[in-house]
Amino acid sequence: MRIGILTGGGDCPGLNAVIRGIVIRANKENYDVFGFTDGWRGVLENKGENLTKERVEDIHREGGTILGTSRTNPFKEKEGLERIKETLKERKIDVLVAIGGDDTLGVANKLYREGIKTIGIPKTIDNDLSSTDYTFGFDTAINIAVEAIDRLHTTAKSHHRVLVVEIMGRHAGWITLEAGIGGGAHIILIPEVPFNLEEVCQILLERKKKGKNYSIVAVAEGAKAAKGSKFLTREVTKEEKTDAFGNIILGGIAKVLEKEISKRTGIETRSVILGHLQRGGRPSAFDRFLATRFGIKAVEMLKEGKIGQMASLRGTEITSVPLEEAVGKTKQVPVSLYQETAEILQGE
Ligand code: F6P
């Protein structure tokens, strides 16, 4: 048995732990593992390396992915499907394990429908994949964001400023909500709950009136104002073009809010975009454990014939769900969860 693996989409801490989990588990069955370079691009171009136990030794504690990644969409490439089929035939790959978010797993699902044997492993710092309680990478990202917010408190307090911190998560506010609560942000703005800038400024002014001379605003990169507002009713984008999967490239809302808040409240305001810091560096213990379990599970799934499925965390159990069910639906923060947490703590 020969397993092909690839890591696609945005990197995240824990990818190397999955790779190691797969190789060690596969080794016990005498299965070979071949790692494709740079996501789907490596399969299209037939590039990669044999992954031995020696090659993956100790990699679980390192961030990024030893295989490299890309946002290549093979269905947007000339003769993409045929080239993938050719590579798999040439390399004698029996099953392809795709480690990625919705875009990468969406491709794995399409390939499965085309008769190619695929298995999916969910990853993303955004935690926005449905059909799994958590994706690895998320825990590390929230810890980085909490640490950043903690640090922003001391400088904001010393200068009596408002500090706006922009946090990743595209169309889901999980990182912003959990890190915002953990870090004690006074206002939390997420895509699921469109905001009213007047109200935001009011809360900041009220805090000042009460003698609380600084504030932290945690804003998700994809947050926007409520309909009817004259301002920010569209997400702030870094550039107009989209990536190969049609995703808009977000970024810059903190800068816009910095200017507006300062203009409307007269309070000195600064902004910071955490950006890719949230994706870099070593995985947390939680992510190392989850990623390793997912890697091991992929080989178990293969043994049990659970093809066309994705490994998934449900409660404390690792199980599997059909890829068809898992892809194409963004798991957003329920508005009720925001109300029970961010709204209760707002301004406090
Ligand atoms: O999907 C993960 C993510 O980090 C999003 O939170 C963010 O919007 C996007 O990737 C950034 O992508 P890139 O690394 O291509 O700029």
Side-chain angles (χ1 to χ4, degrees), residues 105-106 108-110 112 118-121 307-310 321-329:
L105 299 184
N109 187 38
K110 271 195 192 171
Y112 175 64
T118 57
I119 285 177
I121 297 187
I307 306 298
Q309 304 215 4
M310 179 190 90
V321 285
L323 275 166
E324 188 68 38
E325 264 176 39
V327 300
K329 300 163 222 123

Side-chain angles (χ1 to χ4, degrees), residues 3 21-27 29 31 33 97 119 121 294-305:
I3 308 172
I22 294 174
V23 172
I24 291 175
R25 182 67 189 85
N27 211 261
E29 304 294 328
Y31 297 163
V33 183
V97 177
I119 285 177
I121 297 187
F294 277 156
I296 293 170
K297 179 71 178 181
V299 181
E300 310 280 352
M301 284 161 68
L302 167 57
K303 275 185 70 189
E304 290 161 15

Side-chain angles (χ1 to χ4, degrees), residues 210-240:
K210 283 190 220 151
K212 297 181 177 181
N213 66 357
Y214 82 103
S215 297
I216 306 284
V217 179
V219 61
E221 57 181 357
K224 52 184 182 182
K227 280 203 185 94
S229 154
K230 288 195 198 97
F231 191 74
L232 275 177
T233 45
R234 277 188 59 201
E235 290 110 335
V236 180
T237 50
K238 250 193 236 154
E239 34 189 304
E240 278 313 303

Side-chain angles (χ1 to χ4, degrees), residues 46-61:
N46 196 355
K47 282 193 188 140
E49 59 174 313
N50 287 317
L51 294 173
T52 59
K53 256 172 63 170
E54 291 67 38
R55 172 71 172 110
V56 301
E57 197 174 304
D58 290 341
I59 62 168
H60 59 293
R61 55 173 74 95

